[in-house]
Amino acid sequence: MPVPPTAAGPGDKSGGWTPRLVLSLVSIILILELLTVSYLMVSTALPSISQHYKTTQGAWLLTAMLLVGAVSAPLLGKLADMYGKRKMLLTCLSLATIGSLLSAIAPSFAVMVTGRALGGFLVPTLFLSYSLIRDVFPASKVAFSVSIATSGMGLISIAAPFLTGWLLDNWGFRSIFWFMVIVVAVLGPIIAITTEESPVRLRSRVDLIGAVLLGAGLAGVLVGVSNGPSWGWTSSGTLLYLIGGAVLLVAWVISATLVREPLVDLRLLRHRSIGLTTIAAGATYGCSAVYTMLLPMMAMTPAMLGLHYGFGVNAEQFALYSAPIGAFTMIGGVLVGLTAKQIPPRLMIVAGNIIMAIGFTLTAFSHTSKPLVILFAGIFGFGMGLCYAAVPNIIIASVAPQYQATTAGVVAASQSVVPGILPVIVFAILNSNIAMVVQGNAFYTDHAMTLGFLLGAVVAVVGFLAAVALPRRITQFSLDTEPAVDPAYAGVPA
């Protein structure tokens, strides 16, 4: 049962911008930009890291992070509603700092993956932040603040590709993890000082069994898919992981219907706005994972290999290809924030997925021209920014305050599961189409690259279909009360 707020209720606070509020928002923005930037940095460093550790399983540097994010998000969402969103946000930042430190000093690929797994606790900071904003910011500032926070203001994301290149080319891949350690160590205390704790509380229980079943099931399926090309898709090892993981996932679904307070309350997903937004959110972040992983692999491949793709750029030169993604993501997010009262967020998600699909398709079939690839990256980034900013606005408007973090945790699980699975699938495609191996490094066929980008376009279409099916009117759903219109979103057009 929900506990009444002990202070002014969420959405009831009035007032304008104050220095403390601005600093709170800026520090939250920087943390959330670090989440995106950390993924971009590791994606850019993936060729160097894979070469250093002599592995073809580089996708696990991305998947391990997102797998932990997927499993921890619903759990931390419930804990946040029970004990406080700021408290859980700071806990996640502490664990992510430890993970980055571990990756920075990793002597082996296994330790590197372990560090990246702990870095997955940075994923829940996304929904914890916008849920916290919903509770403690003035109601008139919520929609704009959420849109800006979730898409960024370019404070890091635009400069990050150039910084990443400089770090990688001059100091090696370990330097990017030291950068993450320093940034979080500075921003964490600032958030603690400037951001109030949410007064909203929810009495509940923690479903540890559900967390174990979901985590083990996802891990089993991902291991099977990842190693299928090398083990053989019909080998006993591959089938054991795939079938075992699937069985555990089925067991998790059954458990969720039997447990009184499950890790993921499936009743939430039956609500049209929440269920469809969960699908759209997963598709958006899945698209981001695929594009930002394939782009550096394609651009950094030496042109002299004659694979019909690749420009042979180094990490610093690659910034010219990735900077447009960050810049146009920011533009898309600002646009959503400025038009939140005039344009329904569902239309922004529809438009965003169409634009991302266009970006994917253009890159898939035309990637021999540097200016065109840079242009296509910008197109993709703009669509991504629209979706990034619009998704949390729908969730905030769709759920009662005491279930904000819990519901956002469910959506965040989708935002982690889909981008966690897709890189493994992409690498399975790539590893099945190896053109050559040079000094232990695998290079892939042009056909494999095309298939990878087209897979992203298909995922964007899925997100588009989910967004089209969203209801025209946003109503507030609660497991305890009748639907109502969220006061922070009053006036949002149907």
Side-chain angles (χ1 to χ4, degrees), residues 391-415:
V391 164
N393 282 332
I394 293 181
I395 293 301
I396 288 175
S398 299
V399 188
Q402 65 269 23
Y403 293 103
Q404 282 288 325
T406 299
T407 305
V410 173
V411 177
S414 174
Q415 292 171 336

Side-chain angles (χ1 to χ4, degrees), residues 369-395:
S369 167
K370 292 182 182 181
L372 286 180
V373 170
I374 293 171
L375 173 63
F376 300 157
I379 291 173
F380 173 81
F382 181 66
M384 188 169 66
L386 294 179
C387 294
Y388 271 7
V391 164
N393 282 332
I394 293 181
I395 293 301

